Amino acid sequence: MIMQDELSIKQATNIIKQSKYLIAMTGAGISRESNVPTFRGADGLWKQYDAMQLATPDAFRANPQLVWEWYSWRQDLILKCSPNPAHETLVKWEQKGYLKSIITQNVDGLHRRAGSHSLHEVHGNLWTLKCTSCDYHDQLDAPAVGVPICPSCSNHLRPDVVWFGENLNQEIMLNVYSELDKADVCMVIGTSALVQPAASFPLLVREQGGLIIEVNIEETPLTPLATVHLRGKAGEILPLLDKLIA
Ligand code: BJW
Ligand code: ZN
């Protein structure tokens, strides 16, 4: 590790130790080392698949079979993945009281599988289904087969995730804004910080005088605004911080 990195790691360790209300915001990058593909970047899902044909309400209306095929494939893939040391470190920090909550854009459910409790899934969850017409919801524990049908009204069920052009769940957002309001440090881990409104969450913490620690293998639009930017893999950096905090 080069000197600059050592300094940043030390600085981040001190910020975490001195924090009064530390929260984490995570994106697809935290699950990369669990072998879950990210969306953007060279081997991201959007290189291979068209977001507008798969992750919008119009796309689902036009071709529910195609959209479900893609989601079933991802469910199958994620079922074979396990949480990695980055997810596990956040669990440990919650148990020790350092970390107050996680705001995740991920729909893979790996934070919960790792054992995190105070969790806000702002883009929904791949394992929950909701009806396109009535209030029916259901939980899956295996990949969906075909296009699931609502037992209550016979319309199509869809994954309970947030697609482009859709608003985020109001109740979840109220809880998220309450967490952001209380936070004095926001660790932003593995997100390209390109998708709104999530990309602005850390900025709200900063606007009220809070600090941002970014963990990412690349620079993002958030990097210049971060107090500390730790460049590297989340699954290596978080356990290292944990060792230094102890
Ligand atoms: C590592 C690593 C390692 C890798 N360690 N790091 C024009 C038309 C319509 C809408 C818009 C528009 N212009 C703007 C909008 C708004 C839109 C938006 O922001 N678009 C931008 C892309 C331009 N937002 C929305 O539509 C949102 N809703 C909304 O705004 O409602 C109001 C509204 C209504 C009507 C019209 C307009 C607005 C909803 C956004 C929903 C996003 N949904 C998805 C899919 C979820 C379901 C599913 O998974 O199938 O959410 S898209 C996808 O992006 C997914 C993610 O949660 C989200 C963010 O991605 P994330 O997590 O940042 O991943 P990546 O891949 O981008 O980045 C990974 C990062 O990890 C990289 O930086 C790597 O370097 C790093 N990394 N390995 C550490 N080992
Ligand atoms: Zn229904």
Side-chain angles (χ1 to χ4, degrees), residues 174-194:
L174 280 177
N175 291 329
V176 163
Y177 284 124
S178 155
E179 286 304 291
L180 294 168
D181 200 41
K182 287 184 268 188
D184 63 342
V185 181
C186 182
M187 275 193 89
V188 184
I189 307 163
T191 175
S192 58
L194 291 172

Side-chain angles (χ1 to χ4, degrees), residues 28-84:
I30 195 166
S31 296
R32 187 66 198 92
E33 289 153 85
S34 298
N35 288 325
V36 180
T38 59
F39 294 91
R40 294 160 191 87
D43 58 354
L45 289 169
W46 298 153
K47 269 271 171 323
Q48 226 180 319
Y49 303 97
D50 180 357
M52 293 303 133
Q53 279 185 18
L54 294 167
T56 71
D58 282 350
F60 187 76
R61 272 188 291 272
N63 197 342
Q65 286 81 5
L66 176 77
V67 173
W68 261 117
E69 220 173 275
W70 189 62
Y71 277 95
S72 304
W73 168 73
R74 284 173 62 201
Q75 286 167 337
D76 187 51
L77 188 154
I78 288 164
L79 210 53
K80 293 172 185 145
C81 299
S82 306
N84 68 57

Side-chain angles (χ1 to χ4, degrees), residues 10 52 123 142 163 172 176-177 197 219 223:
K10 253 190 203 153
M52 293 303 133
H123 289 163
W163 285 325
I172 295 177
V176 163
Y177 284 124
E219 287 213 359
T223 309

Side-chain angles (χ1 to χ4, degrees), residues 131-136 150-157:
C131 181
T132 48
S133 182
C134 74
D135 281 342
Y136 181 83
C150 177
S152 177
C153 75
S154 303
N155 283 296
H156 289 149
L157 295 176

